[in-house]
Amino acid sequence: MGNPKAFLTIPRQEAGYRPIHDRIADFGEVEQTLNTGERKLQASRCMDCGVPFCHWACPLGNRSPEFQDALFRGKWKEAYEILTLTNDFPEFTGRICPALCEKSCVLKLSLNAPVTIRENEAAIIESAFREGYVQPQSYPRNGMKVAVVGSGPAGLAAANQLNRKGYEVTVFEKQEYIGGLLRFGIPNFKLHKPIIDRRLQIMEAEGVAFKTNVDIDLNHLPDGFDAYCVCVGTSQARDLAVPGRDLKGVHFAMEFLAQQNRVLAGQTFAEKDRISARGKHVLVIGGGDTGSDCIGTSHRQGAIDVIQIEIMPKPPVGDNPNTPWPQWPVVLRTSSSHEEGCVRRWNLSSTRFLGKNGRVCGVEVEEVEWLPAKPGERPQMHLTGRKEIIKADLVLLAMGFLKPELPTFPEHVFVAGDAVTGPSLVVRCIDSGRKVAQKIDDYLRGKQ
């Protein structure tokens, strides 16, 4: 490294978010950026560890110490080239990845101040687009065709890699836009959709074909392809089968989030079909990232207030001795949406929805206790009998997703992403798509 002792004198500096009063008035990205000089200083904090745990923790195996060094030296193109050796879409992961790398950074483990790897990654790829380093490339064709079903991060990564290996790739998407979870599940204030379009234009120029509004029957895949890559994700949300579920105003989180993204894309909806938090008391059931996204979207739509409840106990603040490194630290996380205003509560189970004139007006919840797990078993939930009613005009179910049941495929059909693992991270889906692309290449080459 150019400055091997920078971590001793330069503190971690995050770019932070736009002011709350400013950002809740629009759906623009909330995250800010540092100037070039500050970004180079943050890159200098990387110690180039003998055993880089950041590299080990990243599902993609990103070579963080190498691109941090290039960034510190002002070699932005070199940093871009190193970064894209392992990551097809750093403009996505640099915005929405939870940064597994940073949780394993030695400076995190020793000082609780890891290198700003994710932000540096985003800065590198944005510089690359701005400076014109990202240009369509041409690849020799091998005469074989591959169909990719699903255009989420796994499907796009598989398509990108297969195209570079010389295959004629067609991506089929059942929705009207390409992007899957990136397009419909993630709010614009976290991932501006022109960022996706910019990448799709590069892929199209390189030869990838995209077909939208095509709902593929997985039992009857389209003819004319030498292999198939199924990347259909986990579209089925976990439901809450309690009395009153059919009341108006109770929706899956993805219904709410996807519709708002469509509205921002210019689509219109009849008043009776519009899911809006304007002037309403909103209750979000589920404490994960999707629930957080519902909170931020509700604020921007003009909700009166937002409450988020979770059936699990409140995680500890800071460190959690029950999840030491190298485990993922289960600690309390506060997102930009939480900062915008939200009452968060834990250990609450929803027992029934209450309605008036066919619309939800409240949710009965019961406090629960979690009994310690016995060896080899999970913790047991105990109902306490302590119930209350939470006022709510709009209820959003954000309790996760179910792994799809897929048919038995022949040997030339491969599966990648959440369809294999169940709901996971975008970075893991990109990694899965890359690996399956290599498997398809090995398979088809073996058939020659």
Side-chain angles (χ1 to χ4, degrees), residues 121 158 165 175 209 222 229 232 308 339 343 360 405 422 435 447:
E121 179 179 310
K165 296 177 187 297
Q175 304 294 346
C229 184
V232 293
Q308 182 182 37
E339 292 178 354
V343 175
V360 68
E405 294 185 8
K435 289 178 177 176
K447 291 291 183 180

Side-chain angles (χ1 to χ4, degrees), residues 334-396:
T334 300
S335 70
S336 62
S337 296
H338 291 132
E339 292 178 354
E340 293 161 7
C342 173
V343 175
R344 305 170 71 184
R345 300 182 61 185
W346 288 266
N347 287 325
L348 291 179
S349 174
S350 304
T351 58
R352 64 187 175 114
F353 299 109
L354 306 176
K356 184 177 181 180
N357 299 324
R359 287 199 62 88
V360 68
C361 62
V363 179
E364 182 186 77
V365 297
E366 181 173 357
E367 186 176 339
V368 302
E369 295 176 347
W370 289 92
L371 305 178
K374 297 178 181 179
E377 298 182 2
R378 295 184 176 182
Q380 296 295 311
M381 186 181 74
H382 170 66
L383 298 173
T384 65
R386 296 188 289 271
K387 297 182 179 181
E388 63 177 288
I389 294 175
I390 298 177
K391 183 178 181 179
D393 309 307
L394 175 64
V395 179
L396 302 171

Side-chain angles (χ1 to χ4, degrees), residues 30-48:
V30 301
E31 196 162 34
Q32 301 181 119
T33 187
L34 300 179
N35 61 44
T36 300
E38 291 172 330
R39 184 58 62 201
K40 290 169 67 175
L41 285 177
Q42 289 305 299
S44 75
R45 297 183 67 244
C46 178
M47 299 188 296
D48 193 16

Side-chain angles (χ1 to χ4, degrees), residues 280-297:
K280 295 178 181 176
H281 302 278
V282 179
L283 176 64
V284 178
I285 301 178
D289 289 339
T290 302
S292 171
D293 294 341
C294 289
I295 294 167
T297 301

